[in-house]
Every structure is written in structure tokens, then in C-alpha cells.
Amino acid sequence: MLPWLLLAFYTIANRMGGNPSTTPLLYLCPSSIMSLGLDNASLLVGLFGWLLISASNAVLYSILGIIASMFVGLWKSN
């Protein structure tokens, strides 16, 4: 749901003449910086590149989820 909300926010801000910062997007998906090299890639290289990007995001968010669940577990046990 978060990507759709961000897309709506940036679309509405653009139509209203605003130019919001893209810094939050880099914090939410730091691996997307790798996509800059995929603009002239072939279909197979592009698919493989996006597979690597999605895998790195999965690892990143799983680590954050494990850390968050450890804090929630500690909080509930007290």
C-alpha cells in the first residue's frame, strides 16, 4: 500500500506545481539506485537486475522486521 500512497503523493504534488524531495524514496528502497544502470539494458539483463533489486530489498526488510519483532517480543515479555 505504501508505494501507491507515495505514487499518489508525488503525482498530486507534481500537478499542484510542487517539487517534493525524492529522499524518502531512497530511504524506503535504497537498492533502487542500482536501477539507474538498467535503462539501456536488454530484457533479460533488466529482469535479472530487478530480481537482484527485489531480493536485496527483501533481505533489508526482513532484517528490519526481525529487529522490530525482537523489540516487540522484549516489550511484551516485561
Side-chain angles (χ1 to χ4, degrees), residues 15-72:
R15 289 194 180 182
M16 293 179 67
N19 192 10
S21 172
T22 57
T23 304
L25 297 177
L26 294 177
Y27 285 112
L28 292 172
C29 185
S31 305
S32 65
I33 295 172
M34 291 188 295
S35 68
L36 295 175
L38 298 175
D39 57 348
N40 293 324
S42 67
L43 177 64
L44 289 177
V45 172
L47 289 175
F48 184 70
W50 280 107
L51 176 70
L52 291 177
I53 291 170
S54 60
S56 64
N57 276 335
V59 169
L60 172 71
Y61 286 123
S62 66
I63 291 170
L64 293 176
I66 290 169
I67 292 170
S69 67
M70 287 172 35
F71 281 119
V72 169

